[in-house]
Amino acid sequence: MHEKALEVAIKAATEAGRILRAGLHEEKGARCKDHRHDPVTLFDRLAEEVILARIKRTFPDHGVLSEEGGGEERGSPYRWVIDPLDGTNNYLREYPQFAVSIALQHRQTSLVGCIYDPLREELFTAIRGDGAWLNGKPIRVSSHPSLDGASLGAGFSSRPQRALMTHATLKRLIPHARAIRVAGSACLDLAYVAAGRLDATWYLSLSSWDVAAGVLLIEEARGQVSNLRGESMVDPEAGILATNRLIHAAMIEMLCDEAGLPGDRNCPSKPST
């Protein structure tokens, strides 16, 4: 079933990508969701519709969790987790960094993942236990051995308090890192760690649809994912750290510094592996 599910995910993602490309320079019909910096566009909705339609044709009994609310639970242990447009703020300003993310989970464990960048036509895919690929070629996380000289991705929340906390961590990382990138698409940051383009990325809070495909990509590319204290990531809303494994401990130390996470006294002296 995994191969069939991946085939469906790829077809759905590329079809949604065509819609996003076509709408990039058009009127977006944007409105705010739960706060003024959290927009949704007409094309988020259109992309979601084509993804849901394709999934339901092949797997009508599966549940669906989608960012724009188009999914439904069906009592199945299988659930599709969808972000039809990750990077909506970028998309609104025609900034070319956004993607479609689709994953199939079994009891909240991702089995298949697909992230599609429609502008670069880059398709990141993974099947649990069978590796990760970019446009059909195997990918691996980087072999960079230390925080010094690392290339890092970071995510600034649209919520000011969280953004200030990220800024505090960046100030400590700048003396060590070779490059820090804030590109505005969480799923692409995760895909870039899996492909070795970034050595690590972290976010103070994300949603399941942001990470369901990307976490599987990183695991299958032999990277490491945890919460921001080095423990197993149970809830991405409590934060996520993804690395090439080699710099995971060093990143945890930075994230647990006194200027960083709330409740820093709970940070372990050594992160769990």
Side-chain angles (χ1 to χ4, degrees), residues 26-125:
E26 303 297 328
E27 173 59 42
K28 304 297 192 301
R31 63 174 180 81
C32 295
K33 293 193 286 187
D34 61 337
H35 65 92
R36 63 190 177 92
H37 296 309
D38 186 18
V40 60
T41 73
L42 167 66
F43 296 98
D44 292 71
R45 302 286 192 187
L46 292 175
E48 181 184 65
E49 287 175 8
V50 301
I51 293 168
L52 294 178
R54 185 167 287 278
I55 289 171
K56 288 178 180 179
R57 282 200 297 271
T58 309
F59 300 103
D61 298 328
H62 287 187
V64 176
L65 174 67
S66 182
E67 180 176 13
E68 308 313 331
E72 57 184 314
E73 296 296 336
R74 294 181 175 272
S76 170
Y78 292 96
R79 179 179 72 169
W80 292 84
V81 184
I82 299 162
D83 193 341
L85 172 52
D86 182 61
T88 300
N89 278 304
N90 286 347
Y91 188 76
L92 272 172
R93 302 301 295 269
E94 301 181 13
Y95 188 89
Q97 187 78 355
F98 55 86
V100 181
S101 178
I102 302 173
L104 173 63
Q105 296 183 330
H106 180 262
R107 303 194 188 281
Q108 299 187 336
T109 296
S110 293
L111 304 177
V112 166
C114 169
I115 294 173
Y116 180 56
D117 178 342
L119 296 186
R120 298 175 181 85
E121 295 189 350
E122 290 190 328
L123 180 68
F124 300 86
T125 57

Side-chain angles (χ1 to χ4, degrees), residues 164-257:
L164 288 170
M165 293 167 66
T166 299
H167 181 260
T169 303
L170 286 174
K171 290 193 295 185
R172 299 193 302 278
L173 286 167
I174 285 170
H176 302 280
R178 174 176 298 168
I180 297 176
R181 303 288 181 246
V182 182
S185 173
C187 75
L188 282 179
D189 280 354
L190 295 172
Y192 286 4
V193 172
R197 295 174 178 176
L198 295 172
D199 302 309
T201 191
W202 87 98
Y203 283 74
L204 286 180
S205 182
L206 289 174
S207 298
S208 296
W209 46 76
D210 298 311
V211 307
V215 166
L216 178 60
L217 279 165
I218 290 167
E219 292 173 345
E220 289 301 312
R222 302 193 182 182
Q224 184 172 355
V225 178
S226 74
N227 69 13
L228 299 179
R229 294 183 173 88
E231 304 155 345
S232 295
M233 189 200 68
V234 177
D235 180 6
E237 291 188 6
I240 178 174
L241 170 66
T243 75
N244 68 354
R245 192 174 293 273
L246 300 174
I247 67 170
H248 209 84
M251 287 294 298
I252 292 293
E253 185 176 351
M254 287 289 178
L255 293 170
C256 286
D257 190 89

Side-chain angles (χ1 to χ4, degrees), residues 229 249 252-253 256 265-272:
R229 294 183 173 88
I252 292 293
E253 185 176 351
C256 286
R265 65 176 62 93
N266 296 322
C267 287
S269 57
K270 292 183 179 180
S272 60

